[in-house]
Amino acid sequence: MTATELTFSLSPADALAWERLPHELRGWRRFAFYLWLATAGGWLVVLPEGWVAGQLSQLLALLPFIALHWGIASLAMSLAARWRARRRIPAPLGARLIDTGATLIWQRSDAPAQTITPAAIRQVLLTPTHLFLDAPPALVIVPLTAFESPAAAQAFAERWDRLSAESSP
């Protein structure tokens, strides 16, 4: 197999596409989630005495507080995703992905090249706009416009997902 090279540009918007995907909560994010749940339950403390007796109309009065809490959490998560995206790709840059057949070579214009083996790939994710290869510490982000066609992107994703699965113990 001859090496295939994709050359493209990345922007903070491409990193934001990754950050907006659902991810497993780990570390401080898990702690923040539990803290958010605890503060949501804290609204019960500010209720007048006797409100928690199960009267539906009085409990429905809590809906604005719940909506406010949900809105604040959504805003915080959105701002955090934008912050992480800006840290990942602070400004537009060039990128290159070379498929040598047995490995991938990933290079951003702001960093040295990294060789990625199938065993290092934790996840291959194809979305309507991007292909993501999560191979810690590297995260390969490829806009689908870098491929000749959507079918080429699909074939690339399936091949590397298969190779990754075959190389996993």
Side-chain angles (χ1 to χ4, degrees), residues 17-158:
W18 168 259
E19 297 298 341
R20 284 189 171 157
L21 293 172
H23 298 284
E24 181 180 334
L25 290 176
R26 287 182 243 152
W28 72 269
R29 288 186 183 98
R30 178 178 289 187
F31 174 76
F33 175 71
Y34 288 131
L35 182 63
W36 175 76
L37 282 177
T39 58
W43 288 114
L44 294 174
V45 175
V46 299
L47 291 176
E49 195 174 319
W51 266 44
V52 189
Q55 296 180 7
L56 182 60
S57 64
Q58 293 172 338
L59 288 177
L60 287 177
L62 281 178
L63 285 179
F65 296 112
I66 294 169
L68 174 68
H69 203 70
W70 185 267
I72 291 170
S74 296
L75 177 64
M77 291 185 325
S78 176
L79 291 174
R82 288 181 182 280
W83 180 75
R84 289 190 308 271
R86 280 278 178 195
R87 277 191 37 214
R88 190 175 298 280
I89 301 176
L93 54 85
R96 187 169 75 141
L97 181 64
I98 303 169
D99 181 350
T100 66
T103 62
L104 293 170
I105 300 172
W106 168 241
Q107 184 171 23
R108 292 172 27 160
S109 61
D110 65 344
Q114 296 175 284
T115 300
I116 299 172
T117 63
I121 298 173
R122 181 168 50 188
Q123 179 183 18
V124 178
L125 183 61
L126 184 64
T127 69
T129 58
H130 292 83
L131 169 70
F132 300 103
L133 295 165
D134 186 13
L139 172 65
V140 178
I141 303 173
V142 185
L144 289 192
T145 56
F147 291 94
E148 292 177 10
S149 67
Q154 179 74 33
F156 185 93
E158 288 174 357

